[in-house]
Amino acid sequence: MPLAIGIDLGGTNIKGGLITEKGEIKSQTSIPTLVHEGPDAVVERIVRIVNDLRSDQPGAIAGVGIGSPGPLNPVEGYIYTTPNMPGWENYRLKDRVAEKTNLPVTVENDANCAVLAENWLGSGKGSRTMILLTLGTGIGGGIIFDGKLVNGSVMSAGEVGHIVINHNGPKCGCGSHGCLEAYCGAAGIVSRAWELIEKPGTVSVLREKIMNDRTKLTPAIISAAAAEGDGVALSVLRETGKLLGIGITSLVNLFAPEKVILGGGVAAAGETLFHAIREHVRRYAFAPASQDVEIVPAAFKNDAGIIGAAGLYLIKTDTK
Amino acid sequence: MPLAIGIDLGGTNIKGGLITEKGEIKSQTSIPTLVHEGPDAVVERIVRIVNDLRSDQPGAIAGVGIGSPGPLNPVEGYIYTTPNMPGWENYRLKDRVAEKTNLPVTVENDANCAVLAENWLGSGKGSRTMILLTLGTGIGGGIIFDGKLVNGSVMSAGEVGHIVINHNGPKCGCGSHGCLEAYCGAAGIVSRAWELIEKPGTVSVLREKIMNDRTKLTPAIISAAAAEGDGVALSVLRETGKLLGIGITSLVNLFAPEKVILGGGVAAAGETLFHAIREHVRRYAFAPASQDVEIVPAAFKNDAGIIGAAGLYLIKTDTK
């Protein structure tokens, strides 16, 4: 029975898992990335994880899938630019790990690995066309169109967080203005909440929760306050849902996906957020996709990265 | 040598062409649609065109491709809704034409037929991933991703004119707000130009050209004035290019296409418009796609519809 190793290369930790062809985790491990030590040292740690995972495994390993921050070149297996990992530009990650492990290696965008995991075994199981948005500090995610990852001919694509929803909007980290991420990334959400909290006369448990300190305000705290019925927090979630709905409406008009899946910390806000998103999409996107698309939470929390990365060697390719 | 018939079913005229496997037009014809007479009468006219075209043709006809306004269901061959063709909802266009001609029939979105023609023989020849925007009264077009038309699982997709560029923007014909079409369809362009013309003290040849009558103002007149060096017209084209650039930036971030092709009357404005679009995309979309994507005029003017529709039976399917 084939096995593969999935590596989730993050800015803080490297996670690795030995994964079965059914997507089960046989064993897993995690060590600090220590990015500042540079790519050669990080490759050493990846190799150590690979060797640990296969040491108690007599059978064949089909390959090592590495999910990495992008944008990257999945064919050649290197990263173009890495804002959070200086010194990695054009570093031949795939070749280095392959040399040192004598295993086939594939490098893929971490967000794409998450999409693959959801499509293979999660909330998007069986969907031919689906979109994942991972709502965290930024908005990542990716697209599977007609059974294939949307990577584009030049391998920077599927940047679902960087569609514009208001060209007069706030500056985005990517240099553009009014991207979905600028509104619905953590900073955008916090900033809308703070505006409300600051208003004289506003009553909200959020003030106490953060002791009037803006820097303590996070999407998680807002979600918790909403769960307690706090009006300000609920209103922030509804507005965030509407703004996400605007971006998702554009995506539905382009792809008519069967499913839109929301993962990441912000998606944990739950039904208030999802209801506002669905309401906007049902009303403003083109039928029939607007009515048929299911907008649902992601199935995986933390393991999508290693499972999807291993999936690069385990998922039966659709030859249709 | 296989031949096919391409039909371009428009609100005003039905065009038909007998097309060779190389995409050459052997003969063509056009008759008024007379939409108000209802779908059965229009089908009769389509059948007449088909019979005319094949009458002087002894060889086999591979099939009849019909490009029709959408959104439609290409599998079953009927139109969902047709704002400009009342009474056509769920009418079985494909089956009716097939019954009466004894030929295989396929119905496809007219914009998709145009994309196929550009991809087969026009400005997008050989591109695996490309986007066509047809700039006219509305903004149509479509997407070929990795060699396949983007139709989505439920067949309303590729609506490139209905991605939002400003959710606080003007109401769009589709019911949403601030779609690309609301800004860069003919009405949006005219309305920006009129705002400038109306301003006291504005000097522009446009005033004379339209004899101060707003209803006479069209994108074609604006383009003509720009070609004469009129400052107001040039400024309108540059602003239109920037707004198109914002929408195209979202598309490039999603698809990383090799080419973005602009057709339709507004695209005839030429270099001023294209320059503004390219400048925005190069600056704001993600590299490397932002630098590599070619943004070029469509090759076909009026024949894309019949050629692309016939192409449904003539283009060699990519089996990669």
Side-chain angles (χ1 to χ4, degrees), chain A residues 6 10 56 78 108 119 121 125 130 135 151 179 181-183 196 205 209 220 222 234 236 253 255 269-270 272 288:
Chain A
D56 48 9
Y78 63 86
E108 184 51 270
N119 190 239
L121 301 160
K125 200 170 166 175
M130 55 169 265
L135 310 173
N151 258 340
C179 293
E181 177 170 304
Y183 282 95
L196 291 175
V205 298
K209 279 186 192 277
I222 297 167
L234 283 166
V236 169
N253 285 346
F255 293 98
T272 305

Side-chain angles (χ1 to χ4, degrees), chain A residues 253-271:
Chain A
N253 285 346
L254 289 174
F255 293 98
E258 292 151 61
K259 294 207 174 151
V260 174
I261 297 169
L262 304 180
V266 172
E271 202 40 43

Side-chain angles (χ1 to χ4, degrees), chain A residues 146 148 156 158 164 167 250 254 256, chain B residues 146 148 156 158 164-165 254 256:
Chain A
D146 204 15
K148 270 186 173 168
S156 70
V164 168
H167 66 87
S250 290
L254 289 174
Chain B
D146 204 14
K148 271 185 172 166
S156 70
V164 169
I165 65 168
L254 290 173

Side-chain angles (χ1 to χ4, degrees), chain B residues 180-195:
Chain B
L180 188 58
E181 176 170 305
Y183 282 95
C184 301
I189 296 171
V190 162
S191 134
R192 275 194 304 283
W194 183 247
E195 260 178 48

Side-chain angles (χ1 to χ4, degrees), chain A residues 71 80 143 145-146 148-154 156-160 162-168 174-177 183 243 246 250-258 284 286-289 292, chain B residues 71 80 143 145-146 148-154 156-160 162-168 174-177 183 243 246 250-258 284 286-289 292:
Chain A
Y80 288 116
I143 301 160
F145 170 72
D146 204 15
K148 270 186 173 168
L149 273 173
V150 171
N151 258 340
S153 56
V154 287
S156 70
E159 287 288 353
V160 290
H162 300 280
I163 52 172
V164 168
I165 66 168
N166 181 357
H167 66 87
N168 294 320
C174 76
S176 192
H177 295 266
Y183 282 95
L243 293 163
I246 291 163
S250 290
L251 294 171
V252 168
N253 285 346
L254 289 174
F255 293 98
E258 292 151 61
Y284 290 113
F286 275 53
D292 297 343
Chain B
Y80 288 117
I143 301 160
F145 170 72
D146 204 14
K148 271 185 172 166
L149 274 173
V150 171
N151 259 341
S153 55
V154 288
S156 70
E159 287 287 353
V160 289
H162 300 280
I163 52 171
V164 169
I165 65 168
N166 181 358
H167 65 86
N168 294 320
C174 76
S176 191
H177 295 266
Y183 282 95
L243 293 162
I246 291 163
S250 290
L251 295 171
V252 168
N253 284 345
L254 290 173
F255 293 97
E258 291 149 64
Y284 290 113
F286 275 54
D292 295 343

Side-chain angles (χ1 to χ4, degrees), chain B residues 173-210:
Chain B
C174 76
S176 191
H177 295 266
C179 293
L180 188 58
E181 176 170 305
Y183 282 95
C184 301
I189 296 171
V190 162
S191 134
R192 275 194 304 283
W194 183 247
E195 260 178 48
L196 290 176
I197 294 169
E198 259 197 326
K199 265 190 199 157
T202 294
V203 177
S204 169
V205 298
L206 282 169
R207 263 198 203 154
E208 296 158 45
K209 278 185 192 276
I210 62 170

Side-chain angles (χ1 to χ4, degrees), chain B residues 284-306:
Chain B
Y284 290 113
F286 275 54
S290 58
Q291 308 309 306
D292 295 343
V293 60
E294 291 177 45
I295 302 175
V296 294
F300 290 103
K301 297 272 175 283
N302 302 312
D303 299 332
I306 54 173

